Amino acid sequence: MPTEVQEETLTLEEILASLKEMHRLILWNDDVNTFEHVIHCMMKYLDYTETQSEKIAWKVHNEGKCAVLEGSFTEMEVYRKILQQEGLTVTVD
């Protein structure tokens, strides 16, 4: 019995729009990582200043999460993997 496959056709405009869609990298609060580690990772991998990194750490601590970067899904996935390897809890939204 042959399997039916439904083919989806996208226009160039639809493909380009999906590439332009912005995604956010979300850093979540946890009970494992120290402020110092979070600050270090923000500075090392996302190129934030120490002051900016401290603000992010406090926002995560007080609000439970913080959007730390915005860009394409592929770009956010790269940073998500890097930060997860450092032990941070991050997701792509």
Side-chain angles (χ1 to χ4, degrees), residues 14-78:
E14 290 171 325
I15 294 169
L16 292 175
S18 71
L19 293 175
K20 290 180 183 177
E21 186 175 323
M22 297 302 271
H23 294 272
R24 299 180 311 155
L25 185 66
I26 309 295
L27 175 63
W28 295 86
N29 190 31
D30 60 38
D31 296 330
V32 179
N33 292 290
T34 64
F35 271 71
E36 291 77 19
H37 182 63
V38 171
I39 291 166
H40 167 77
C41 288
M42 294 297 103
M43 292 171 64
K44 180 176 181 178
Y45 298 109
L46 301 184
D47 216 19
Y48 282 111
T49 66
E50 187 171 359
T51 302
Q52 291 169 323
S53 300
E54 287 175 6
K55 287 180 182 178
I56 289 169
W58 278 107
K59 184 170 183 174
V60 169
H61 177 73
N62 291 322
E63 299 179 19
K65 67 179 182 175
C66 178
V68 295
L69 195 62
E70 193 173 286
S72 71
F73 179 77
T74 304
E75 183 182 17
M76 295 305 98
E77 273 295 297
V78 169

